[in-house]
Amino acid sequence: MAVVGVGGAGCAVVDHIYCSDADMETVAINTDRASLDKTGAHRRVLLCDRVTRGEGAKGDHELGRSCAITHIDKITESLQGNDIIFIVAGMGGGTGTGAAPVVADISRRLGMITFAIAINPFKFEDGRRRVAREGLRRLRAVAPLTMVMENDLLLERAPESTMADAFAMASAGIEDYIRRNSRKVTSVFLEQLTQMEMRLGEPYGDWPSTETDTVRILFP
Ligand SMILES: Nc1nc2c(ncn2[C@@H]2O[C@H](COP(=O)(O)OP(=O)(O)OP(=O)(O)O)[C@@H](O)[C@H]2O)c(=O)[nH]1
Ligand SMILES: [Mg+2]
C-alpha cells in the first residue's frame, strides 16, 4: 500500500508519515518544486515544471487538473506495485483540488483499492470554501471512499497551539486513520483469499485460524 500526497497539505502529511518511519510507501506529487524538494517521500513527482515554472498552481484548480492529466504516465509509474492507495489532499488550492481526482481516477483504473482523505480549508479562508466543495465533489465521484478532515476542528481542539503544531496534530491523526483502515482492508482481503484457496481445494496444511496470524505469516 502507498500514501500519496497531492499539493502542499497532502505532501505535508506524507512528509510526516515518511519522517515517522512508518512502514508505509510514500509518494509526493506537487507543482511546487521548492515545496516538493523539502518533502520526505520514497517517490516524488513534479508536475508541469515548464508551465508553472515549479512555482505551484497558485490557487488555479483547472491548472492543477491539467498538469496532472499531462503527466498521467509519470503518476501511473509512481503508483505501480501497490494494491491499496490512500490519497491525501488539501481542498481549496490549485494542485490538491485539481490533481487529486485525476490521481484517484488513475489508481482506480489500475485496479487499486482507492481511499482518499480530503482536508477542508478553515472557515476564515473565505474564497477557498466554494472551490473546496467542488473539488470534494469531483474527488468523491471517482473515489467514493473519501473521508473529510475539517481544519476547523484543529482550532476547536487546540485553540492555543501554533499553526505548525496544529498541522502536525492533523497529520498524526490522518496517519492513524490510514493505519487502521489499511489493516482492516488487508485482513478482509486475506480472509477472502484464504476462503478462495479453500474453495479451490488447495492443500493448505496448518493454516492459521485467526486473522492476525494470517497477516503475520503472509506479511512477516
Ligand atoms: N492540515 C493541514 N492543512 C493544510 C496544510 N497546508 C495547507 N493546508 C490547507 O489545505 C488547503 C489547500 O492548501 P494547499 O494544499 O497548500 O494547496 P495546493 O494544493 O498546494 O494548491 P496550490 O499551492 O494553489 O497549487 C489550505 O487552504 C489549507 O486550509 C497542512 O500542512 N496541514
Ligand atoms: Mg501549493
Side-chain angles (χ1 to χ4, degrees), residues 7-9 12 31 56-59 90-91 93-96 119 121-122 125 128 151 167 170:
T31 54
K58 299 193 171 134
M91 296 289 112
T95 307
I119 300 170
F122 295 100
E125 296 180 280
R128 298 201 145 192
N151 264 346
F167 281 169

Side-chain angles (χ1 to χ4, degrees), residues 43 71-80 106 110 112:
R43 300 178 194 181
H71 293 292
I72 285 177
D73 289 350
K74 266 211 266 189
I75 297 170
T76 301
E77 198 187 317
S78 75
L79 303 179
Q80 294 292 1
I106 295 171
L110 290 170
M112 298 161 178

